[in-house]
């Protein structure tokens, strides 16, 4: 089954404790992206990757890191989480950037206290 | 850069009625306009999309219309059913770019 998986689905952590949210896709997609969803703000892009070893900032990259060492995986790293990073996070992948369908993972709800 | 505005933020309709969600975009070069549906506890899923060389596209009870001159596009759902209750996002992009810009979402509630 074609899918995007994320782990964990729920995470409660404390300020400053480094965490990683994993994302994996099995569709051999070139493009992967991370979004955060906040009430009233819709989906805002954090980082994206056009291909292996190619990553770039989205609209809200501050406080986040990503890596793309393999085509299927695109982890999101919060080196020192803060309460304003409490949000619902989605990973997505697509055949290519721009005008193609994006396939979303199920989401990771992060709470930073 | 591109900016997408979406209205209304919430919409309540009676089962069987129609629902319309509207979006406007700022960049006249945008040429791809998808709509995503997000059910509770799930990620968004594409339900229909339209490209700028087409004015309207229909798929069973859902349709999307595009007015390039006014730079707006709309989602129309006819004969709404309770399972249509979800958050809907519009988005805009263009060939050759690396971003899909989303609207702020519309929460649709369909009451039996």
């Amino acid at each position: 089954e074609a899918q995007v998986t994320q782990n964990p689905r729920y995470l409660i952590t404390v300020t400053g404790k480094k965490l990683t949210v994993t994302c994996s896709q099995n569709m051999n997609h070139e493009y992967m992206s991370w979004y955060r969803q906040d009430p009233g703000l819709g989906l805002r892009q954090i980082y994206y990757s056009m291909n292996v070893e190619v990553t770039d900032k989205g609209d809200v990259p501050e406080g986040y890191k990503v890596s793309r060492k393999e085509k299927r995986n695109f982890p999101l790293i919060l080196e020192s989480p803060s309460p304003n990073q409490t949000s619902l996070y989605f990973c997505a992948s697509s055949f290519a950037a721009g005008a193609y369908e994006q396939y979303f993972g199920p989401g990771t709800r992060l709470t930073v206290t | 850069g591109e900016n997408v505005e979406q209205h209304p933020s919430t919409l309540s309709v009676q089962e069987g009625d129609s629902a319309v969600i509207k979006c406007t975009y700022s960049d006249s070069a945008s040429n791809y306009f998808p709509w995503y549906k997000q059910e509770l506890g799930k990620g968004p899923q594409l339900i229909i999309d339209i490209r700028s060389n087409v004015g309207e596209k229909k798929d069973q009870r859902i349709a999307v219309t595009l007015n390039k001159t006014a730079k707006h596009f709309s989602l129309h759902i006819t004969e709404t059913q309770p399972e249509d209750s979800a958050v809907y996002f519009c988005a805009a992009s263009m060939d050759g770019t690396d971003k899909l810009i989303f609207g702020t979402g519309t929460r649709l509630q369909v009451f039996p």
Side-chain angles (χ1 to χ4, degrees):
Chain A
E1 180 191 354
Q3 61 182 349
V4 177
T5 57
Q6 292 179 230
N7 282 292
R9 294 289 314 276
Y10 302 90
L11 180 59
I12 300 174
T13 189
V14 296
T15 299
K17 186 176 181 182
K18 181 179 178 180
L19 66 92
T20 299
V21 183
T22 64
C23 171
S24 184
Q25 51 93 5
N26 63 1
M27 295 168 278
N28 201 37
H29 283 166
E30 302 272 324
Y31 183 85
M32 296 187 74
S33 183
W34 276 102
Y35 296 90
R36 60 178 288 172
Q37 183 179 2
D38 302 289
L41 297 177
L43 292 159
R44 294 182 293 167
Q45 191 179 49
I46 302 170
Y47 268 94
Y48 63 94
S49 170
M50 305 278 276
N51 211 329
V52 175
E53 301 292 1
V54 180
T55 63
D56 210 342
K57 296 177 181 179
D59 297 316
V60 287
E62 295 78 21
Y64 305 94
K65 284 175 57 177
V66 293
S67 69
R68 186 93 182 272
K69 294 187 174 66
E70 306 164 283
K71 197 172 188 179
R72 62 183 293 129
N73 296 323
F74 190 45
L76 179 69
I77 303 153
L78 285 71
E79 294 269 4
S80 183
S82 62
N84 64 10
Q85 293 178 298
T86 292
S87 187
L88 179 59
Y89 292 87
F90 288 101
C91 180
S93 73
S94 64
F95 171 75
Y100 292 91
E101 177 178 2
Q102 293 204 14
Y103 294 81
F104 284 81
T108 295
R109 185 164 292 282
L110 172 66
T111 302
V112 184
T113 61
Chain B
E2 175 66 280
N3 182 51
V4 177
E5 294 189 0
Q6 183 172 347
H7 299 281
S9 56
T10 60
L11 180 59
S12 296
V13 300
Q14 204 74 33
E15 182 177 359
D17 288 350
S18 294
V20 181
I21 303 169
K22 298 181 180 181
C23 289
T24 59
Y25 60 99
S26 60
D27 192 335
S28 57
S30 290
N31 61 359
Y32 175 66
F33 307 95
W35 285 89
Y36 285 79
K37 176 183 181 182
Q38 184 183 20
E39 297 178 342
L40 196 61
K42 297 184 179 180
Q45 187 170 14
L46 180 74
I47 54 171
I48 194 167
D49 57 11
I50 192 169
R51 296 187 183 267
S52 60
N53 58 346
V54 176
E56 183 174 359
K57 186 175 178 181
K58 200 171 181 180
D59 183 4
Q60 298 183 331
R61 295 186 299 106
I62 61 173
V64 57
T65 58
L66 172 64
N67 183 325
K68 287 188 291 183
T69 303
K71 290 191 283 187
H72 66 69
F73 56 111
S74 300
L75 178 71
H76 304 253
I77 306 174
T78 58
E79 300 171 28
T80 53
Q81 301 167 4
E83 52 264 38
D84 294 329
S85 296
V87 177
Y88 292 82
F89 290 99
C90 63
S93 184
M94 66 184 85
D95 291 331
T97 65
D98 48 23
K99 286 191 178 185
L100 188 62
I101 306 300
F102 286 88
T104 50
T106 297
R107 182 173 298 279
L108 173 64
Q109 289 184 296
V110 180
F111 292 98

